[in-house]
Coordinates of all heavy atoms in Angstrom, one line a residue:
M989 N 0.8 -1.2 0.0 CA 0.0 0.0 0.0 C 0.9 1.3 0.0 O 0.6 2.2 -0.7 CB -0.9 0.0 1.2 CG -1.8 1.2 1.4 SD -3.1 1.1 0.2 CE -4.2 2.3 0.8
R990 N 1.9 1.3 0.8 CA 2.8 2.4 0.9 C 3.5 2.6 -0.4 O 3.7 3.8 -0.9 CB 3.8 2.2 2.0 CG 4.4 3.4 2.5 CD 5.1 3.1 3.8 NE 6.2 4.0 4.0 CZ 7.0 4.1 5.0 NH1 6.9 3.2 5.9 NH2 7.9 5.0 5.1
F991 N 3.9 1.5 -1.1 CA 4.6 1.6 -2.4 C 3.7 2.2 -3.4 O 4.1 3.1 -4.2 CB 5.1 0.2 -2.8 CG 5.9 0.3 -4.1 CD1 7.1 0.8 -4.2 CD2 5.3 -0.3 -5.2 CE1 7.8 0.9 -5.4 CE2 6.0 -0.3 -6.4 CZ 7.2 0.3 -6.5
A992 N 2.4 1.8 -3.4 CA 1.4 2.3 -4.3 C 1.3 3.8 -4.1 O 1.2 4.6 -5.1 CB 0.1 1.6 -4.2
A993 N 1.2 4.3 -2.9 CA 1.1 5.7 -2.6 C 2.3 6.5 -3.1 O 2.2 7.5 -3.7 CB 0.9 5.9 -1.1
L994 N 3.5 5.9 -3.0 CA 4.7 6.5 -3.4 C 4.7 6.6 -5.0 O 5.0 7.7 -5.5 CB 6.0 5.7 -3.0 CG 7.3 6.3 -3.5 CD1 7.6 7.6 -2.9 CD2 8.4 5.3 -3.1
L995 N 4.3 5.6 -5.6 CA 4.2 5.6 -7.1 C 3.2 6.7 -7.6 O 3.4 7.4 -8.5 CB 3.8 4.3 -7.7 CG 4.9 3.2 -7.6 CD1 4.4 1.9 -8.2 CD2 6.1 3.7 -8.5
L996 N 2.0 6.7 -6.9 CA 1.0 7.7 -7.3 C 1.5 9.1 -7.0 O 1.4 10.0 -7.9 CB -0.3 7.5 -6.4 CG -1.4 8.4 -6.7 CD1 -1.9 8.3 -8.2 CD2 -2.6 8.1 -5.8
G997 N 2.2 9.3 -5.9 CA 2.8 10.6 -5.7 C 3.9 11.0 -6.7 O 4.0 12.1 -7.2
A998 N 4.7 10.0 -7.1 CA 5.7 10.3 -8.1 C 5.1 10.6 -9.5 O 5.5 11.5 -10.2 CB 6.6 9.1 -8.3
A999 N 4.0 9.9 -9.8 CA 3.3 10.2 -11.1 C 2.7 11.7 -11.0 O 2.8 12.4 -12.0 CB 2.2 9.2 -11.3
A1000 N 2.2 12.0 -9.9 CA 1.6 13.4 -9.8 C 2.7 14.4 -9.9 O 2.6 15.5 -10.6 CB 0.8 13.5 -8.5
A1001 N 3.8 14.2 -9.3 CA 4.9 15.1 -9.3 C 5.5 15.2 -10.7 O 6.0 16.2 -11.1 CB 6.0 14.7 -8.3
A1002 N 5.5 14.1 -11.4 CA 6.0 14.1 -12.8 C 5.2 15.0 -13.7 O 5.7 15.7 -14.5 CB 6.1 12.6 -13.4
V1003 N 3.9 14.9 -13.5 CA 3.0 15.8 -14.2 C 3.4 17.3 -13.9 O 3.4 18.1 -14.8 CB 1.6 15.5 -13.9 CG1 0.6 16.6 -14.5 CG2 1.2 14.2 -14.5
A1004 N 3.7 17.5 -12.6 CA 4.0 18.9 -12.2 C 5.3 19.3 -12.8 O 5.5 20.5 -13.1 CB 4.1 19.0 -10.7
C1005 N 6.2 18.4 -13.1 CA 7.5 18.7 -13.7 C 7.3 19.1 -15.2 O 8.2 19.7 -15.8 CB 8.5 17.6 -13.6 SG 9.4 17.6 -12.0
G1006 N 6.2 18.7 -15.7 CA 5.9 19.1 -17.1 C 6.4 18.0 -18.1 O 7.3 17.3 -17.8
R1007 N 5.7 18.0 -19.2 CA 6.1 17.1 -20.3 C 6.5 17.8 -21.6 O 6.7 17.2 -22.6 CB 4.9 16.1 -20.6 CG 4.6 15.3 -19.4 CD 3.5 14.3 -19.7 NE 3.2 13.5 -18.6 CZ 3.8 12.4 -18.2 NH1 4.9 12.0 -18.8 NH2 3.4 11.8 -17.1
S1008 N 6.4 19.1 -21.6 CA 6.7 19.9 -22.8 C 8.2 20.1 -22.9 O 9.0 19.7 -22.1 CB 6.0 21.2 -22.7 OG 6.5 22.0 -21.7
G1009 N 8.6 20.8 -23.9 CA 10.0 21.1 -24.2 C 10.6 22.0 -23.1 O 11.8 22.0 -22.9
S1010 N 9.8 22.8 -22.5 CA 10.2 23.8 -21.5 C 9.4 23.6 -20.2 O 8.5 24.3 -19.9 CB 10.1 25.2 -22.0 OG 10.9 25.4 -23.1
P1011 N 9.7 22.5 -19.5 CA 8.9 22.2 -18.3 C 9.1 23.3 -17.2 O 10.1 23.9 -17.1 CB 9.4 20.9 -17.8 CG 10.8 20.8 -18.3 CD 10.8 21.6 -19.6
A1012 N 8.1 23.3 -16.3 CA 8.2 24.2 -15.2 C 9.3 23.5 -14.2 O 9.5 22.4 -14.3 CB 6.9 24.3 -14.4
V1013 N 9.9 24.3 -13.4 CA 10.9 23.8 -12.5 C 10.3 23.9 -11.1 O 10.4 24.9 -10.4 CB 12.2 24.6 -12.6 CG1 13.2 23.9 -11.6 CG2 12.8 24.5 -14.0
P1014 N 9.6 22.9 -10.7 CA 8.9 22.9 -9.4 C 9.9 22.8 -8.2 O 10.9 22.2 -8.3 CB 8.0 21.7 -9.4 CG 8.7 20.8 -10.3 CD 9.4 21.6 -11.4
L1015 N 9.6 23.4 -7.1 CA 10.3 23.3 -5.9 C 9.5 22.5 -4.9 O 8.3 22.7 -4.8 CB 10.7 24.7 -5.3 CG 11.7 25.5 -6.0 CD1 11.7 26.9 -5.4 CD2 13.1 24.9 -5.9
P1016 N 10.2 21.7 -4.1 CA 9.4 21.0 -3.0 C 9.1 22.0 -1.9 O 9.7 23.1 -2.0 CB 10.4 19.9 -2.5 CG 11.8 20.4 -2.9 CD 11.6 21.3 -4.2
D1017 N 8.3 21.6 -1.0 CA 8.0 22.5 0.1 C 9.3 22.7 1.0 O 9.7 21.7 1.7 CB 6.9 22.0 1.0 CG 6.5 22.8 2.2 OD1 7.1 24.0 2.3 OD2 5.7 22.4 3.0
L1018 N 9.9 23.8 1.0 CA 11.1 24.0 1.7 C 10.9 24.8 3.0 O 11.9 25.3 3.6 CB 12.1 24.8 0.8 CG 12.5 24.0 -0.5 CD1 13.3 24.9 -1.4 CD2 13.3 22.8 -0.1
S1019 N 9.7 25.0 3.4 CA 9.4 25.9 4.5 C 10.0 25.5 5.8 O 10.3 26.3 6.7 CB 7.8 26.1 4.6 OG 7.2 24.8 4.9
S1020 N 10.2 24.2 6.0 CA 10.8 23.7 7.3 C 12.2 23.2 7.1 O 12.8 22.7 8.0 CB 9.9 22.6 7.9 OG 9.9 21.5 7.0
A1021 N 12.8 23.5 5.9 CA 14.2 23.0 5.6 C 15.2 24.0 6.2 O 15.0 25.2 6.3 CB 14.4 22.8 4.1
E1022 N 16.4 23.5 6.5 CA 17.5 24.4 6.9 C 18.0 25.2 5.7 O 17.8 24.9 4.6 CB 18.6 23.5 7.4 CG 18.3 22.7 8.6 CD 19.4 21.8 9.1 OE1 20.6 22.0 8.7 OE2 19.1 20.9 9.9
E1023 N 18.6 26.3 6.1 CA 19.1 27.3 5.0 C 20.0 26.6 4.0 O 19.8 26.9 2.8 CB 19.9 28.4 5.7 CG 19.0 29.4 6.4 CD 19.9 30.5 7.0 OE1 20.8 31.0 6.3 OE2 19.6 31.0 8.1
E1024 N 20.9 25.8 4.4 CA 21.8 25.1 3.5 C 21.1 24.3 2.5 O 21.4 24.2 1.3 CB 22.9 24.3 4.2 CG 23.8 25.1 5.1 CD 23.2 25.5 6.5 OE1 22.2 24.9 6.9 OE2 23.8 26.3 7.1
I1025 N 20.0 23.6 3.0 CA 19.2 22.7 2.1 C 18.5 23.5 1.1 O 18.4 23.2 -0.1 CB 18.3 21.8 2.9 CG1 19.2 20.8 3.7 CG2 17.3 21.1 2.0 CD1 18.4 20.0 4.7
V1026 N 17.8 24.6 1.6 CA 17.1 25.5 0.7 C 18.0 26.0 -0.4 O 17.7 26.0 -1.6 CB 16.5 26.7 1.5 CG1 15.9 27.7 0.6 CG2 15.4 26.1 2.5
A1027 N 19.2 26.5 0.0 CA 20.1 27.0 -1.0 C 20.6 26.0 -2.0 O 20.6 26.2 -3.2 CB 21.4 27.6 -0.3
A1028 N 20.8 24.8 -1.6 CA 21.3 23.7 -2.5 C 20.2 23.3 -3.5 O 20.4 23.1 -4.7 CB 21.7 22.5 -1.7
V1029 N 19.0 23.1 -3.0 CA 17.8 22.8 -3.8 C 17.5 23.9 -4.8 O 17.3 23.6 -6.0 CB 16.6 22.4 -3.0 CG1 15.4 22.2 -3.9 CG2 16.9 21.1 -2.2
R1030 N 17.5 25.1 -4.3 CA 17.2 26.2 -5.3 C 18.3 26.4 -6.3 O 18.0 26.7 -7.4 CB 17.0 27.5 -4.5 CG 15.7 27.5 -3.8 CD 15.4 28.8 -3.1 NE 14.2 28.6 -2.4 CZ 13.4 29.6 -2.1 NH1 13.7 30.8 -2.4 NH2 12.3 29.4 -1.4
A1031 N 19.6 26.2 -5.9 CA 20.7 26.3 -6.9 C 20.5 25.2 -8.0 O 20.7 25.5 -9.2 CB 22.0 26.1 -6.2
A1032 N 20.1 24.0 -7.6 CA 19.9 22.9 -8.6 C 18.7 23.3 -9.5 O 18.7 23.1 -10.7 CB 19.7 21.6 -7.9
A1033 N 17.7 23.9 -8.9 CA 16.5 24.3 -9.7 C 16.9 25.4 -10.7 O 16.4 25.4 -11.8 CB 15.4 24.8 -8.8
D1034 N 17.7 26.3 -10.2 CA 18.2 27.4 -11.1 C 18.9 26.9 -12.3 O 18.8 27.4 -13.4 CB 19.0 28.4 -10.3 CG 18.2 29.2 -9.3 OD1 17.0 29.3 -9.4 OD2 18.9 29.8 -8.4
R1035 N 19.8 25.8 -12.1 CA 20.5 25.2 -13.2 C 19.5 24.6 -14.2 O 19.8 24.8 -15.4 CB 21.5 24.2 -12.7 CG 22.7 24.8 -12.1 CD 23.8 23.8 -11.8 NE 23.4 22.8 -10.7 CZ 23.6 23.1 -9.4 NH1 24.0 24.2 -9.0 NH2 23.2 22.2 -8.5
V1036 N 18.5 24.0 -13.8 CA 17.5 23.5 -14.7 C 16.8 24.6 -15.4 O 16.5 24.6 -16.6 CB 16.4 22.6 -13.9 CG1 15.3 22.2 -14.8 CG2 17.1 21.4 -13.4
A1037 N 16.4 25.7 -14.7 CA 15.7 26.8 -15.3 C 16.6 27.5 -16.4 O 16.1 27.9 -17.4 CB 15.4 27.9 -14.2
R1038 N 17.9 27.5 -16.2 CA 18.8 28.1 -17.2 C 19.0 27.2 -18.4 O 19.3 27.7 -19.5 CB 20.2 28.4 -16.5 CG 20.2 29.6 -15.6 CD 21.6 30.1 -15.2 NE 22.4 29.0 -14.6 CZ 22.4 28.7 -13.3 NH1 21.7 29.4 -12.5 NH2 23.2 27.8 -12.9
N1039 N 18.9 25.9 -18.2 CA 19.1 25.0 -19.3 C 18.1 23.8 -19.2 O 18.5 22.7 -18.8 CB 20.5 24.4 -19.2 CG 20.9 23.7 -20.5 OD1 20.1 23.6 -21.4 ND2 22.1 23.2 -20.6
P1040 N 16.8 24.1 -19.5 CA 15.8 23.1 -19.3 C 15.9 21.9 -20.2 O 15.3 20.8 -20.0 CB 14.5 23.8 -19.5 CG 14.9 25.0 -20.3 CD 16.3 25.3 -19.9
A1041 N 16.7 21.9 -21.2 CA 16.9 20.8 -22.1 C 18.0 19.9 -21.7 O 18.3 18.9 -22.3 CB 17.2 21.3 -23.6
S1042 N 18.7 20.2 -20.6 CA 19.8 19.4 -20.1 C 19.4 18.2 -19.2 O 18.8 18.4 -18.1 CB 20.7 20.3 -19.2 OG 21.7 19.5 -18.6
A1043 N 19.7 17.0 -19.7 CA 19.4 15.8 -19.0 C 20.2 15.8 -17.7 O 19.8 15.4 -16.6 CB 19.7 14.6 -19.8
L1044 N 21.5 16.3 -17.8 CA 22.3 16.3 -16.6 C 21.8 17.3 -15.5 O 21.8 16.9 -14.3 CB 23.7 16.8 -17.0 CG 24.6 15.8 -17.8 CD1 25.9 16.3 -18.2 CD2 24.8 14.5 -17.0
A1045 N 21.3 18.4 -15.9 CA 20.7 19.4 -14.9 C 19.5 18.8 -14.2 O 19.4 18.8 -13.0 CB 20.4 20.7 -15.6
W1046 N 18.6 18.1 -15.0 CA 17.4 17.5 -14.4 C 17.8 16.4 -13.5 O 17.3 16.2 -12.4 CB 16.5 17.0 -15.5 CG 15.6 18.1 -16.0 CD1 15.7 18.7 -17.2 CD2 14.4 18.6 -15.4 NE1 14.7 19.7 -17.3 CE2 13.8 19.6 -16.2 CE3 13.8 18.3 -14.2 CZ2 12.7 20.3 -15.9 CZ3 12.6 19.0 -13.9 CH2 12.1 20.0 -14.7
G1047 N 18.8 15.5 -13.9 CA 19.2 14.4 -13.1 C 19.8 14.9 -11.8 O 19.6 14.4 -10.7
A1048 N 20.7 15.9 -11.9 CA 21.3 16.5 -10.7 C 20.3 17.1 -9.8 O 20.4 17.0 -8.5 CB 22.4 17.5 -11.1
Y1049 N 19.3 17.7 -10.3 CA 18.2 18.3 -9.5 C 17.5 17.2 -8.8 O 17.2 17.3 -7.6 CB 17.2 19.1 -10.4 CG 16.2 19.9 -9.6 CD1 16.4 20.4 -8.4 CD2 14.9 20.1 -10.2 CE1 15.4 21.1 -7.7 CE2 13.9 20.8 -9.6 CZ 14.2 21.3 -8.3 OH 13.2 22.0 -7.7
G1050 N 17.2 16.1 -9.5 CA 16.6 14.9 -8.8 C 17.4 14.4 -7.7 O 17.0 14.1 -6.6
D1051 N 18.7 14.3 -8.0 CA 19.7 13.8 -7.0 C 19.7 14.7 -5.7 O 19.7 14.2 -4.6 CB 21.1 13.7 -7.5 CG 21.2 12.6 -8.6 OD1 20.3 11.7 -8.7 OD2 22.3 12.6 -9.3
R1052 N 19.7 16.0 -6.0 CA 19.7 16.9 -4.9 C 18.5 16.8 -4.0 O 18.5 16.8 -2.8 CB 19.9 18.4 -5.4 CG 19.9 19.4 -4.4 CD 21.0 19.4 -3.4 NE 22.3 19.5 -4.1 CZ 23.5 19.2 -3.6 NH1 23.5 18.7 -2.4 NH2 24.6 19.3 -4.3
R1053 N 17.3 16.7 -4.7 CA 16.1 16.6 -4.0 C 16.0 15.3 -3.2 O 15.7 15.3 -2.0 CB 14.9 16.6 -5.0 CG 14.7 18.0 -5.6 CD 13.8 17.9 -6.8 NE 12.5 18.5 -6.4 CZ 11.5 18.6 -7.2 NH1 11.7 18.3 -8.5 NH2 10.4 19.1 -6.8
G1054 N 16.5 14.2 -3.8 CA 16.5 13.0 -3.1 C 17.4 12.9 -1.9 O 17.1 12.4 -0.8
A1055 N 18.6 13.6 -2.0 CA 19.6 13.6 -1.0 C 19.0 14.3 0.3 O 19.5 14.1 1.4 CB 20.8 14.3 -1.5
H1056 N 18.1 15.2 0.1 CA 17.5 15.9 1.2 C 16.1 15.4 1.6 O 15.4 16.1 2.3 CB 17.5 17.4 0.9 CG 18.9 18.0 0.7 ND1 19.8 18.0 1.8 CD2 19.5 18.4 -0.4 CE1 20.9 18.5 1.3 NE2 20.8 18.8 0.0
G1057 N 15.8 14.2 1.2 CA 14.6 13.6 1.7 C 13.3 13.8 0.9 O 12.3 13.4 1.2
F1058 N 13.4 14.5 -0.2 CA 12.3 14.8 -1.1 C 12.2 13.7 -2.2 O 12.5 14.0 -3.3 CB 12.4 16.2 -1.7 CG 12.5 17.3 -0.7 CD1 13.7 17.9 -0.5 CD2 11.4 17.7 0.0 CE1 13.8 19.0 0.4 CE2 11.4 18.7 1.0 CZ 12.7 19.4 1.2
L1059 N 11.9 12.5 -1.7 CA 12.0 11.3 -2.6 C 11.0 11.3 -3.8 O 11.4 11.0 -4.9 CB 11.9 10.0 -1.8 CG 12.9 9.9 -0.7 CD1 12.7 8.6 0.1 CD2 14.3 10.0 -1.2
V1060 N 9.7 11.6 -3.5 CA 8.7 11.7 -4.5 C 9.1 12.8 -5.5 O 9.0 12.5 -6.8 CB 7.3 11.9 -4.0 CG1 6.3 12.1 -5.1 CG2 6.9 10.7 -3.1
E1061 N 9.5 13.9 -5.0 CA 9.8 15.0 -5.9 C 11.1 14.7 -6.7 O 11.2 15.1 -7.9 CB 10.1 16.3 -5.1 CG 8.8 16.8 -4.4 CD 8.6 16.2 -3.0 OE1 9.2 15.2 -2.7 OE2 7.8 16.8 -2.2
A1062 N 12.0 13.9 -6.1 CA 13.2 13.5 -6.9 C 12.9 12.6 -8.0 O 13.4 12.8 -9.1 CB 14.2 12.8 -5.9
A1063 N 12.0 11.7 -7.8 CA 11.6 10.7 -8.8 C 11.0 11.4 -10.0 O 11.2 11.1 -11.1 CB 10.7 9.7 -8.2
A1064 N 10.3 12.5 -9.7 CA 9.6 13.3 -10.8 C 10.6 14.0 -11.7 O 10.3 14.3 -12.8 CB 8.6 14.3 -10.2
C1065 N 11.8 14.2 -11.2 CA 12.8 14.9 -12.1 C 13.5 13.9 -13.0 O 14.1 14.4 -14.0 CB 13.8 15.6 -11.2 SG 13.0 17.1 -10.4
Y1066 N 13.5 12.7 -12.7 CA 14.2 11.7 -13.5 C 13.5 11.4 -14.8 O 14.1 11.1 -15.8 CB 14.4 10.4 -12.7 CG 15.3 10.6 -11.5 CD1 15.0 10.1 -10.3 CD2 16.5 11.3 -11.6 CE1 15.8 10.3 -9.2 CE2 17.3 11.5 -10.5 CZ 17.0 11.0 -9.3 OH 17.8 11.2 -8.2
A1067 N 12.2 11.6 -14.9 CA 11.5 11.4 -16.1 C 11.9 12.5 -17.2 O 12.2 12.2 -18.3 CB 9.9 11.5 -15.9
P1068 N 11.9 13.8 -16.8 CA 12.4 14.8 -17.8 C 13.9 14.5 -18.1 O 14.2 14.7 -19.3 CB 12.2 16.1 -17.0 CG 11.2 15.9 -16.0 CD 11.3 14.4 -15.6
A1069 N 14.7 14.1 -17.2 CA 16.1 13.8 -17.5 C 16.2 12.7 -18.5 O 16.9 12.8 -19.5 CB 16.8 13.4 -16.2
G1070 N 15.4 11.6 -18.3 CA 15.4 10.5 -19.2 C 14.9 10.9 -20.6 O 15.5 10.4 -21.6
R1071 N 13.9 11.8 -20.7 CA 13.5 12.2 -22.1 C 14.5 13.0 -22.8 O 14.5 13.1 -24.0 CB 12.2 13.0 -21.9 CG 11.0 12.1 -21.6 CD 9.7 12.9 -21.7 NE 9.6 14.1 -20.8 CZ 9.1 14.0 -19.6 NH1 8.8 12.9 -19.0 NH2 9.1 15.1 -18.9
R1072 N 15.4 13.6 -22.0 CA 16.4 14.5 -22.7 C 17.8 13.8 -22.9 O 18.6 14.4 -23.5 CB 16.6 15.8 -21.8 CG 15.4 16.7 -21.9 CD 15.3 17.6 -20.7 NE 14.2 18.5 -20.8 CZ 12.9 18.2 -20.6 NH1 12.6 16.9 -20.2 NH2 12.0 19.0 -20.7
A1073 N 17.9 12.6 -22.3 CA 19.2 11.9 -22.4 C 19.4 11.4 -23.8 O 18.5 11.0 -24.5 CB 19.2 10.8 -21.4
P1074 N 20.6 11.5 -24.3 CA 20.9 11.0 -25.7 C 20.8 9.5 -25.7 O 21.1 8.8 -24.8 CB 22.4 11.5 -25.9 CG 22.9 11.8 -24.6 CD 21.8 12.1 -23.7
G1075 N 20.5 9.1 -26.9 CA 20.5 7.6 -27.2 C 19.3 7.0 -26.8 O 18.9 5.9 -26.7

């Protein structure tokens, strides 16, 4: 049951990340995060905003989100990364 909820949340977050050529760069709820975490997540989001076609930027953003406990939100960034990866 918990796994199904995680998958449903990841699917919803993937939609939030967008499916177009220029997806929105969503931020997780950072209201209770420490300053360093907020800065790190926002910096990764800014890299995606500057280069939304970059698979590396999207993947790094997902990694950053996951490293700070935003697992569903991290999973949602890997779909745009995969669509932009060569090959």
